[in-house]
Amino acid sequence: MSDNELHYDNQVIHFLEDMWGDGFLSPGGAEEATLVVEGLDLRGKTVLDIGSGSGAIAVLLAGTLGAKKVIGIDVEEPVVNEARQRAAAAGLSDRIDIQLVEPGPFPFPENSFDIVYSKDSIIHIPDKETLSRDVYRVLRPGGWFAASDWLISHDNTPSPEMQDYITAEDLDFAMASPGRYTRALADVGFSQISLRNRNPWYREVAAGELNRLTGPERSKLEQAHGETFIADQVSTWSKMMPVLKSGEHCPHHIRGQKPS
Ligand SMILES: C[S@@+](CC[C@H](N)C(=O)[O-])C[C@H]1O[C@@H](n2cnc3c(N)ncnc32)[C@H](O)[C@@H]1O
């Protein structure tokens, strides 16, 4: 992917890390990333992390949560470089393998992973049905898909407010509804499917983020990232708040098990 096609270039990476913590390109840090796999024991397991970003989550999965091996895949080179450096700095290069891949089918044989994890990355993958089939294929029998993703609450045309927000993000968002996710997972054979709506949590967190962007921290952020860039972010966050308040923008945790 050439630099002018990147969604997560170095400027975006460093801004998001200022908002969400070193190595995190989605909200909630280690606490929220851990909640995605709540109740699952990762010790000794082989984990695929779809959309591994700048790598803090791969380090969390292999480090604190004890996975034997984490394969992180991502489609953009700057985040892949960041993630590899982060894994090396954590002394985990032998257990974390970050791969730059093309969008599309996973380059792994069937039954390769105990857990397929993803945090707020599948929003960039429009075809949830094909994705679900491929996740099922690479999971071992008994293995779990455990993801967080940004969803839209319905299958209709987005409201004007939602469309305005999606356009402002300029990140190729392809949001699907809880119903579409559930059907996509069930149709390929997943059992134990569950979805947990994280809108009530994120709408509070996002209000705090907008306060940071517009309050005393703004001048520091402007010095680091430029006034125009921060003004654009304030505009995007301001457009996000109404659709979080209405519930149309509804991040979810998503689970399903490949039957044994
Ligand atoms: C919002 S970031 C989240 C990164 C990381 N999971 C985190 O929570 O910090 C979304 C990531 O998904 C990646 N991505 C986009 N399309 C993808 C695809 N088809 N396959 C894998 N990763 C993809 C992006 O490059 C980006 O790094």
Side-chain angles (χ1 to χ4, degrees), residues 29-109:
E31 194 179 337
E32 181 68 9
T34 302
L35 207 53
V36 174
V37 283
E38 185 182 31
L40 299 178
D41 185 359
L42 269 61
R43 286 172 299 173
K45 302 278 168 54
T46 301
V47 181
L48 173 65
D49 180 11
I50 304 169
S52 40
S54 54
I57 292 176
V59 168
L60 173 81
L61 296 168
T64 313
L65 299 180
K68 182 174 71 180
K69 181 89 188 174
V70 177
I71 313 270
I73 56 169
D74 207 291
V75 295
E76 298 203 5
E77 198 164 2
V79 293
V80 163
N81 292 338
E82 289 270 336
R84 285 178 179 153
Q85 282 168 24
R86 196 169 304 281
L92 290 167
S93 295
D94 55 336
R95 289 198 287 126
I96 296 177
D97 176 13
I98 304 291
Q99 300 185 11
L100 181 64
V101 301
E102 292 294 324
F106 303 133
F108 308 109

Side-chain angles (χ1 to χ4, degrees), residues 51-226:
S52 40
S54 54
I57 292 176
V59 168
L60 173 81
L61 296 168
T64 313
L65 299 180
K68 182 174 71 180
K69 181 89 188 174
V70 177
I71 313 270
I73 56 169
D74 207 291
V75 295
E76 298 203 5
E77 198 164 2
V79 293
V80 163
N81 292 338
E82 289 270 336
R84 285 178 179 153
Q85 282 168 24
R86 196 169 304 281
L92 290 167
S93 295
D94 55 336
R95 289 198 287 126
I96 296 177
D97 176 13
I98 304 291
Q99 300 185 11
L100 181 64
V101 301
E102 292 294 324
F106 303 133
F108 308 109
E110 61 183 32
N111 303 341
S112 294
F113 298 99
D114 302 301
I115 311 266
V116 174
Y117 182 98
S118 184
K119 176 86 169 44
D120 304 344
S121 299
I122 295 170
I123 187 168
H124 296 295
I125 302 176
D127 186 344
K128 315 299 177 196
E129 291 74 18
T130 301
L131 184 270
S132 299
R133 190 169 307 110
D134 213 26
V135 170
Y136 191 89
R137 180 182 68 78
V138 300
L139 270 174
R140 297 192 178 119
W144 285 91
F145 174 50
S148 168
D149 201 20
W150 284 16
L151 275 59
I152 181 169
S153 62
H154 57 84
D155 291 313
N156 306 319
T157 307
S159 68
E161 294 76 21
M162 189 69 165
Q163 192 51 61
D164 205 23
Y165 160 65
I166 292 169
T167 305
E169 282 282 9
D170 196 23
L171 283 172
D172 269 358
F173 276 4
M175 291 167 127
S177 70
R180 182 168 165 206
Y181 256 106
T182 304
R183 282 191 299 279
L185 294 171
D187 285 351
V188 298
F190 278 99
S191 63
Q192 310 285 336
I193 297 164
S194 64
L195 274 75
R196 165 161 60 176
N197 191 347
R198 297 296 287 153
N199 170 286
W201 166 77
Y202 189 50
R203 92 164 86 156
E204 294 294 317
V205 169
E209 291 165 356
L210 183 55
N211 285 341
R212 284 179 59 202
L213 283 166
T214 53
E217 214 181 312
R218 180 170 186 152
S219 60
K220 201 177 97 195
L221 290 164
E222 285 176 344
Q223 275 168 27
H225 306 287

